[in-house]
Amino acid sequence: MSTFFLLTVTGLGLGALYFLIASGLSLIYGLMGVLNFAHGAFLTVGAYATWYTESKLGGMATLPRFLLGALAGLVVGAVVAALVELVLIRPPYKRHIEQVLVTVGLGLAITALVQAIWGADARVVVVPEWTQQTTHVLGAAIPNDRWVEIAVAAVVLVSLELFLRKTRYGLIIRAGVENRAMVTALGIDVRRAFTLVFAIGGVAAALAGVLASVYFGTVDPARGTSLLIFAFIVVVIGGLGSLRGTALAAVVVGLVQQYANYYASSGLGDLSVVLLLGIVLLARPRGLGGALAT
């Protein structure tokens, strides 16, 4: 029982990481129709900005040092995402092939740039000691960082839902998706709202990078790419553009991966997730969230 509970919580923690990066993908596609293959690069730059900032604050206590580094990572993620939308996404807007090519190239370029500056070796991130300790629940020793990841993902999900449904900018964005010409005719700059969507997606990805550095204890140039693969799987299973479906899919993928790795064989978790993707596409092409997943 304790082993099953440990696997469940760690699976939820992994699913939380997948959701944080996948939420930005789902948000950007659902509201703008943009498949952003450079999204993993936002995670990478956020993680490296966190590591670089905290490494330069050696005289401070660990917790404020890490929090300042995390704040720097979120800011960098937002700025990079906004610049990408302004410079590379806005000009070919609605031209999907050009957008895919641009974002794929950008993702490869940013990864190569990070590797050229800091090398391919993983860098150790100094994280608060509490996150490396465990809490005993139902006989299982649960790493504390898993609780943090689950809580942060839940807060992000609720915050995004409230932003889209209760705020003025959220209403503008949703209206702009339905009828951009009409909203523009009312004197509202929809382009600014769409830039904000990209920035929010960048913050979510950078937050995933921050928590991934806690989860793995290191940062490396390939981290964003590896997590992006699972994020796309989560988005497709959840239904492209469905935020709640993405959250449900992230939980399912994280749990399936953990259970398969333990109860079947180490390494079968990834295969199980791919098989799950195939089953969902065959049985429910619209995804768990009901949005069209093609």
Side-chain angles (χ1 to χ4, degrees):
M1 180 62 185
S2 61
T3 299
F4 179 78
F5 185 71
L6 174 62
L7 291 172
T8 299
V9 176
T10 54
L12 290 174
L14 186 61
L17 286 179
Y18 292 158
F19 169 73
L20 287 173
I21 184 171
S23 62
L25 281 172
S26 181
L27 189 68
I28 291 170
Y29 182 83
L31 297 178
M32 301 175 62
V34 176
L35 271 177
N36 179 24
F37 286 89
H39 202 69
F42 301 162
L43 183 151
T44 299
V45 297
Y48 268 85
T50 300
W51 162 76
Y52 183 80
T53 303
E54 67 87 14
S55 68
K56 297 301 180 182
L57 300 174
M60 297 181 63
T62 303
L63 180 58
R65 172 180 167 183
F66 179 78
L67 291 177
L68 287 174
L71 178 61
L74 299 185
V75 171
V76 169
V79 170
V80 170
L83 289 175
V84 167
E85 195 277 335
L86 288 169
V87 177
L88 298 176
I89 300 299
R90 184 175 295 182
Y93 189 67
K94 291 293 186 183
R95 303 203 301 272
H96 300 298
I97 295 178
E98 288 92 333
Q99 288 177 344
V100 168
L101 293 175
V102 165
T103 56
V104 168
L106 179 64
L108 295 173
I110 290 179
T111 300
L113 178 62
V114 169
Q115 184 170 330
I117 296 174
W118 288 293
D121 295 336
R123 304 281 182 157
V124 177
V125 180
V126 179
V127 299
E129 184 179 351
W130 176 82
T131 63
Q132 304 304 299
Q133 298 173 350
T134 59
T135 300
H136 290 267
V137 181
L138 298 179
I142 311 296
N144 289 333
D145 67 287
R146 305 305 193 266
W147 302 114
V148 175
E149 290 143 13
I150 294 169
V152 170
V155 170
V156 168
L157 174 60
V158 173
S159 299
L160 289 177
E161 289 282 352
L162 291 176
F163 169 75
L164 291 174
R165 300 180 184 280
K166 301 296 183 180
T167 68
R168 179 177 180 271
Y169 259 105
L171 295 175
I172 290 173
I173 291 168
R174 291 166 61 200
V177 172
E178 295 296 328
N179 194 327
R180 182 170 181 169
M182 179 62 70
V183 175
T184 302
L186 294 174
I188 299 173
D189 189 353
V190 179
R191 296 176 301 175
R192 183 181 301 173
F194 283 177
T195 302
L196 177 62
V197 170
F198 242 82
I200 292 173
V203 169
L207 185 56
V210 172
L211 293 179
S213 67
V214 178
Y215 188 98
F216 297 103
T218 60
V219 297
D220 65 78
R223 181 66 46 74
T225 302
S226 61
L227 289 176
L228 182 65
I229 294 171
F230 290 102
F232 268 114
I233 292 175
V234 165
V235 169
V236 174
I237 291 176
L240 283 166
S242 172
L243 197 59
R244 295 179 183 178
T246 297
L248 176 60
V251 170
V252 173
V253 168
L255 291 176
V256 166
Q257 199 170 11
Q258 289 295 92
Y259 292 153
N261 279 332
Y262 183 83
Y263 290 112
S265 176
S266 179
L268 284 182
D270 294 354
L271 176 61
S272 300
V273 170
V274 175
L275 291 175
L276 175 64
L277 172 64
I279 292 171
V280 171
L281 289 177
L282 289 173
R284 189 179 175 85
R286 293 178 179 271
L288 300 179
L292 186 62
T294 59

